[in-house]
Amino acid sequence: MTYGKFAYLYDELMKDVPYDKWVEIVKNYVSKFHVNGKKILDLACGTGELSIKFAEEGFEVTGVDLSEDMLMVAQGKAADKEMNVQFYQQNMAELEGLGRFDVIGIFCDSLNYLQSEQEVLDTFSRVHEHLDDNGLFIFDVHSIHKIMQIFMNQTFALNDEEISYIWHSYQGEHPNSVEHDLSFFVLDQQTGQYERYDELHFQRTFPIEVYGNWLKEAGFEVLEVIADFEAVSPQTQSERIFFISRKV
């Protein structure tokens, strides 16, 4: 999937996302499980917001994304902040040739954009290959509750002066999947008129135990499963599930 114009709107639309909470989770588990190195691979890094925050915390960061447009934004931001972050365009299910890392993360529910079970399995396998022994693999996904009860058949809208959107979510082709049909209206400062851009995004999730089994099959030990940025076990109403695992 390419994001096109969406890449350039992404940061404005995500400005209230608590990126610092992802950074804190990684720092806490790096300390808790005594990870010595600070090489981190940020998979599906998007516009590089988290990659740059990790670099500011002293990590040696590599970012990977499928979208060339997203990476162009990320590279520009890293250059503006004089941060040495390496960015590569790859599909995380086909990851290759990037060496070994102490930590690999797939954050902001990016794993949910994979459309098939096989892509998730392939991603776990490629992550395993790119981790140092005892390295940590940390990712978060939408819960089934969020996909089926919060997104499903809902309409969300934003009406700002420069950017507005209408966002319809409806049942996807697969179980526990959703399609997001987004229409953006962006003010052209020169003409004073609004331009429309349309995007279709797909997300799919799986039960917690399924992710756990797949991690074990790929050669990981599941260390903890927590919810909603808190060190608590997932509950029925939890929306975001975090998996902390270690290569064995």
Side-chain angles (χ1 to χ4, degrees), residues 219-235:
F220 293 98
E221 173 191 6
V222 179
L223 300 171
E224 291 189 25
V225 180
I226 62 172
D228 298 331
F229 300 103
E230 302 290 340
V232 297
S233 298
Q235 305 297 316

Side-chain angles (χ1 to χ4, degrees), residues 56-73:
E56 290 172 339
E57 291 291 333
F59 286 91
E60 182 182 342
V61 187
T62 299
V64 167
D65 202 88
L66 185 60
S67 167
E68 181 180 2
D69 292 322
M70 289 283 197
L71 291 172
M72 287 177 62
V73 176

Side-chain angles (χ1 to χ4, degrees), residues 117 120-121 124 206 209-219:
E117 297 180 14
V120 179
L121 291 168
F124 287 179
F206 299 91
E209 59 270 20
V210 170
Y211 283 117
N213 289 336
W214 287 345
L215 284 166
K216 292 172 185 175
E217 290 173 15

Side-chain angles (χ1 to χ4, degrees), residues 92-96 121-130:
M92 59 183 167
E94 301 172 359
L95 195 67
E96 61 180 0
L121 291 168
D122 289 345
T123 297
F124 287 179
S125 177
R126 296 304 176 101
V127 167
H128 191 273
E129 292 174 3
H130 283 77

Side-chain angles (χ1 to χ4, degrees), residues 137-188:
F137 175 32
I138 302 173
F139 67 90
D140 62 90
V141 292
H142 288 316
S143 67
I144 291 176
H145 167 74
K146 187 168 187 179
I147 292 285
M148 299 304 295
Q149 304 300 324
I150 296 178
F151 284 144
M152 195 62 63
N153 298 321
Q154 296 296 315
T155 297
F156 309 92
L158 172 72
N159 185 19
D160 282 348
E161 287 189 9
E162 296 190 1
I163 299 178
S164 299
Y165 66 73
I166 302 172
W167 166 8
H168 300 290
S169 296
Y170 48 89
Q171 176 70 50
E173 176 184 353
H174 302 287
N176 304 317
S177 71
V178 64
E179 294 189 12
H180 305 292
D181 190 358
L182 301 102
S183 296
F184 298 92
F185 304 88
V186 183
L187 178 64
D188 185 317

